[in-house]
Amino acid sequence: MATTETFRCMMCGHEYQEQVERGEDKERSCPKCRSNSIRHLRGAGKK
Amino acid sequence: MTQPDEYQMGLSSRKAIYIPFPQAVPCSYILDMEHCLGNNPIACGKCQDVCEKQAINYDDADEVITREVGAIIVAIGLDVYDPTEMDEYGYTRYDNVITSMEFERLICAGGPTAGHFVRPGDSQRPKRIGFVQCVGSRNPKIGRPWCSNICCMNTVKDTLLLADHYPDVENVVYYQDIRAFGKSFEDMFQRSKEAGTRYVRGLPGDVEENPTNGNLLVTVENTTSGKLERHELDMLVLSVGVEPPKDLAKISGLLTLSKTSDGFLMESHPKLKPVDAPTRGVYFAGFCESPKDIKDSVCQAGAAASRAGALLNAGKITIEAITSQIDAESCTKCGVCARVCPYGAIQWKKGEVAVVIEAACAGCGACGAACQFGSITMRHFTDAQLVAQVRAIMAEKPKEKVMVFACNWCSYAGGDMAGISRIQYPATNRVMRTMCSARVSEDMVLEAFRVGAPIVLVSGCHYADCHYINANRQTVQRVQRLWNKLEKAGVRPERLQLEWISAAEGQKFAQVMKQMEELRQTVTDEEIAHAMEALKPKPKKKPKPKAEPAAAAAP
């Protein structure tokens, strides 16, 4: 089951949402600046 | 009792007692108890009647046999892609669309048609045969971006076989790229073309069946000529890719192995230890590690057997000098260390003190960083040593420094790469090495802020490159917790950064250091002072003494 989660880049401040599968093991990087400092803020709902 | 024969891809049938395939070793019959009628109570029993050796025992059952071994070679093979989901090729709709595996059975002398190549729809010999490459390979849209490695040469071999058996057959191969990179492979590819096989660069967009004769109409954009072409074929063969076996998750969990992003098993090192698993004593052979042909599989199997032999014959093993030690007295028996250990090297049972299996410990330090009670000591990388390093680094002019924690294998080596490549970057960073980024505990990061660090960077290997299976996932969780803690304490969480830098990414290392320096310049003296004060460790509450039992207190 996928959920929509909110992430914030701690380098550039870019905030974005992404579908996350349960148990997903994925390296995250900011879609804007490619930094790996991605903070998981909160879930926005199930899909 | 008959069942579809799995070996013949369901193109013929077998009985409930059968030899799995002609070259089976041992070449003996097996009973398919799921479909046998002769069990409990015996309803058939014909095989038992005719077996002179009395070798049939209906009550025989599977059993688990326990063996103690010194090395394990994982060679569990592959699964073949099921093209059902790629409806554009009509595999489920048209009888004369088959997979390359089904083709193998149809053209094999030991196959269901004894090698007489006919199409399944009407048992007529096809005259025009198309092959579609990369079905289930090199296709990120269906989650299979990898090249299956074997399909191109398998198709080239099939076209040569057809040309040899049936010179009047016309072959068309639809492809993206033909990858003929092995010994004599290019020669085979040229021979296939000389034998009349037409290679069309482009994959079919649509396949339709002519209902009157069962022929297939294939629409394809020939990307070499830029024209749309329609071909009428008697049969279409889907050159299906391969995928990791479905049982791989079980095996990888059992042996604490890690997987690459495409789902195959990850080797310890792609160049220096290509057959070793990150878990010592475990080796790979064949497809489970990555798609490869027979020759490469045989090479890898030989290498794995040699590696296992060397380990078993050495008589002794050398263990890591950097391993963890658990202090039984202060251990609270919580079991966190056992849960975070990527190697399963910590034995723990509820209510018992955890124990480190030193031969299995690789020394990542994830357990030491996760232990909240200081009960774990990492040899050569103790908490006291690391905190002392942080304090020493920040002893003078801390405001002008960026505290960088770098893992030994990737980030630290990335810094080396930047250096030997003469890439310029600000000199304000101070790099402190730990074996893995997972060794960096919350307290070490907070200590850096307490002693005045404006910026702290934790850096490690990329996910796929983690030298300790997946220990760096612990780093991510820890940094997430630290961001929350910093925010709660009124410290700007952006002052803590996380980056994955590989040993080859000297350029990235330098770029990250530049970014850290830019970030450092935004941190004010007030912010640093506030963090130093706000993150001071709170005095630990003394545990309340337990009340003495009434009976003991009584005189």
Side-chain angles (χ1 to χ4, degrees), chain B residues 349-424:
Chain B
K349 278 182 189 165
K350 204 173 179 182
E352 289 182 15
V353 170
V355 178
V356 177
I357 307 164
E358 289 205 25
C361 176
C364 63
C367 56
C371 180
Q372 298 292 309
F373 306 98
S375 304
I376 297 182
T377 307
M378 289 302 303
R379 291 190 181 96
H380 304 284
F381 285 88
T382 66
D383 283 1
Q385 286 172 330
L386 296 176
V387 168
Q389 280 188 56
V390 172
R391 287 176 184 158
I393 285 169
M394 290 293 154
E396 287 178 22
K397 298 180 183 174
K399 291 173 198 169
E400 294 172 14
K401 292 172 186 167
V402 171
M403 180 73 222
V404 180
F405 292 99
C407 83
N408 177 62
W409 305 101
C410 285
S411 299
Y412 197 81
D416 273 348
M417 178 58 83
I420 59 172
S421 306
R422 306 280 192 273
I423 302 170
Q424 299 290 313

